[in-house]
Amino acid sequence: MNFLRMSDVALSGKRVFIRADLNVPQNDAGVIMDDTRIRASIPAIQYALDQGAAVMITSHLGRPVEGEFSPEDTLGPVALRIADLLGRKVPLVSNWVENGVKVAPGEVVLLENCRINIGEKKNDDELAKNIANLCDVYVNDAFGTAHRAEATTHGVAKYAKVACAGPLMAAELDALGKALLSPQKPLVAIVAGSKVSTKLTILKTLANKVDQLIVGGGIGNSFLLAKGFPIGKSLAEPDLLEEAREIMSMMEARGAEVPIPTDVIVANEFSAQARANKVMVDQVQDDDMILDIGPRTAAKLATIISNAGTIVWNGPVGVFEIEQFGGGTKMLAAAIAHSPAYTIGGGGDTLAAISKYEISNQIDYISTGGGAFLEFLEGKTLPAVDILIKRATQ
């Protein structure tokens, strides 16, 4: 992907507008519960300051009603946290589209919640032009919002004098591009979750690209059912069996494979107290629920992973939150951690599994992009990325 990077642009004395992703969870008292996104945004801000730029930052927070400010919508606590991390004052500026922004080179301000501005979500052209007039350089460092065409994620990039990607955005695009656009073979994808329907487009897109497509969870159960195996009362989508068969046929036509489990872990109830039983895949009873892959299957998949050149991981293969149903995910996590392949993981449950099994330092790239990550896997064009690519060629 060809796009302009923040590091490619002369920033000294320039007015730099950074669209960050500072949408952090807070409690009812406005106390930030997890500042991961704030800390991830600091490198772009610090770089611009070090270059002598006049820095403006904005982000959305929550889902405010456009044109109506409420106290819970404020970025005030975020401004205080950024100030702590930078070791300097970070004033919060309200009504910044109407009143403009005064900031000198070497200074930084945080602009109040951008979704309060009327026209933000609809990517209003007039709003985008007005924001573009505030800056000399527009920096998008919010990959998590890249799948949305909004005024501060897309519109401004059309009209700003210079539009570029910040370090966080660039790192995401570099990692995803390496994993999916120019992967080292064999390319192995692990896609798991409760429903085929939520990841059907992803599965079909990957079926045209990957050498091995490992499926798990409710998705894996649907594939088992499509192959004619009993699944008892396991979570599955019987109305999507033809789609599952189509995906397997697509893979087989390319000489690729969707590995089907040979053994599974079942229980009669879904609870932390449930007894886990290991059975062969054709021995699942009517009152059984499949809650994990079995050890033989996990060992087979671990071998596939150990021979991979690139691994894309999206979803645990079992109910790993309950210890007796986490063996499969734990073994695959260990295999991914020790694989020489280039590895990238993304999605909320995947991040939770990476954290639980303490392998974050052994994953090449962990995507925090959420919906944007999934849409990239689907092969969709991300509006905020597309406009950066177009501007780079102008």
Side-chain angles (χ1 to χ4, degrees):
M1 285 177 282
N2 180 30
F3 55 89
L4 193 64
R5 298 167 188 264
M6 189 181 187
S7 56
D8 297 330
V9 183
L11 302 180
S12 180
K14 300 289 179 66
R15 297 171 302 158
V16 175
F17 184 101
I18 301 174
R19 174 50 160 104
D21 183 1
L22 307 173
N23 185 30
V24 293
Q26 302 179 54
N27 64 18
D28 293 339
V31 176
I32 295 169
M33 306 305 292
D34 181 355
D35 69 350
T36 301
R37 287 175 175 167
I38 299 174
R39 286 184 285 107
S41 298
I42 293 298
I45 301 166
Q46 188 65 63
Y47 178 80
L49 288 170
D50 290 345
Q51 295 297 305
V55 185
M56 298 166 272
I57 320 154
T58 196
S59 172
H60 71 289
L61 179 69
R63 298 179 179 179
V65 176
E66 290 187 1
E68 298 180 19
F69 177 77
S70 297
E72 62 266 24
D73 301 326
T74 184
L75 287 173
V78 175
L80 293 174
R81 185 63 183 128
I82 294 175
D84 287 341
L85 293 168
L86 292 176
R88 62 191 301 157
K89 289 183 178 180
V90 179
L92 180 66
V93 180
S94 301
N95 302 316
W96 47 276
V97 177
E98 299 87 352
N99 299 334
V101 182
K102 292 181 180 179
V103 55
E107 294 182 350
V108 56
V109 297
L110 181 63
L111 310 181
E112 189 59 277
N113 196 331
C114 61
R115 284 208 183 143
I116 295 170
N117 298 323
I118 296 174
E120 168 67 15
K121 294 194 73 173
K122 290 185 177 180
N123 198 20
D124 180 74
D125 254 11
E126 199 62 35
L127 174 62
K129 289 176 182 176
N130 288 336
I131 297 174
N133 287 333
L134 297 174
C135 67
D136 302 302
V137 178
Y138 166 76
V139 179
N140 192 332
D141 205 33
F143 180 77
T145 64
H147 57 309
R148 299 190 181 105
E150 298 181 349
T152 58
T153 64
H154 180 270
V156 180
K158 287 195 298 183
Y159 300 113
K161 297 170 187 174
V162 176
C164 61
L168 192 61
M169 170 74 84
E172 287 273 359
L173 297 179
D174 287 344
L176 288 167
K178 185 175 181 179
L180 292 169
L181 303 181
S182 56
Q184 183 73 32
K185 296 285 191 170
L187 171 56
V188 176
I190 304 167
V191 180
S194 59
K195 294 182 178 181
V196 173
S197 55
T198 60
K199 296 185 178 178
L200 182 60
T201 310
I202 295 173
L203 292 166
K204 286 187 175 179
T205 299
L206 293 177
N208 285 315
K209 294 182 178 181
V210 304
D211 300 293
Q212 301 274 354
L213 179 58
I214 296 170
V215 292
I219 292 173
N221 295 339
S222 295
F223 276 76
L224 281 174
L225 194 58
K227 290 288 284 186
F229 289 105
I231 64 167
K233 55 182 182 180
S234 306
L235 178 66
E237 291 177 285
D239 56 333
L240 290 177
L241 299 189
E242 281 307 312
E243 282 80 358
R245 294 187 186 105
E246 179 187 351
I247 289 164
M248 287 186 280
S249 296
M250 290 167 65
M251 295 285 288
E252 290 166 7
R254 297 174 44 245
E257 183 189 5
V258 179
I260 298 299
T262 53
D263 61 338
V264 291
I265 304 299
V266 300
N268 299 129
E269 62 176 338
F270 186 90
S271 76
Q273 289 73 43
R275 178 180 176 180
N277 298 305
K278 179 185 70 176
V279 300
M280 300 308 292
V281 74
D282 59 353
Q283 298 299 311
V284 176
Q285 301 301 305
D286 290 345
D287 63 344
D288 282 336
M289 286 184 287
I290 300 172
L291 300 177
D292 194 11
I293 56 174
R296 291 188 186 183
T297 300
K300 176 186 175 182
L301 298 181
T303 299
I304 291 172
I305 288 168
S306 68
N307 292 317
T310 305
I311 301 166
V312 178
W313 183 17
N314 176 234
V317 294
V319 186
F320 76 99
E321 299 90 343
I322 300 176
E323 207 59 40
Q324 60 267 39
F325 306 119
T329 300
K330 184 176 183 178
M331 184 175 285
L332 264 60
I336 292 168
H338 293 101
S339 172
Y342 180 76
T343 54
I344 181 169
D349 289 340
T350 309
L351 301 189
I354 289 171
S355 176
K356 178 174 181 176
Y357 300 121
E358 300 180 338
I359 60 168
S360 59
N361 292 336
Q362 293 159 285
I363 304 292
D364 289 296
Y365 193 80
I366 299 173
S367 173
T368 57
F373 173 77
L374 293 178
E375 291 201 11
F376 195 101
L377 292 189
E378 288 182 48
K380 289 184 177 179
T381 298
L382 305 182
V385 175
D386 185 54
I387 189 61
L388 292 180
I389 293 171
K390 287 177 178 175
R391 285 300 307 272
T393 59
Q394 290 177 354

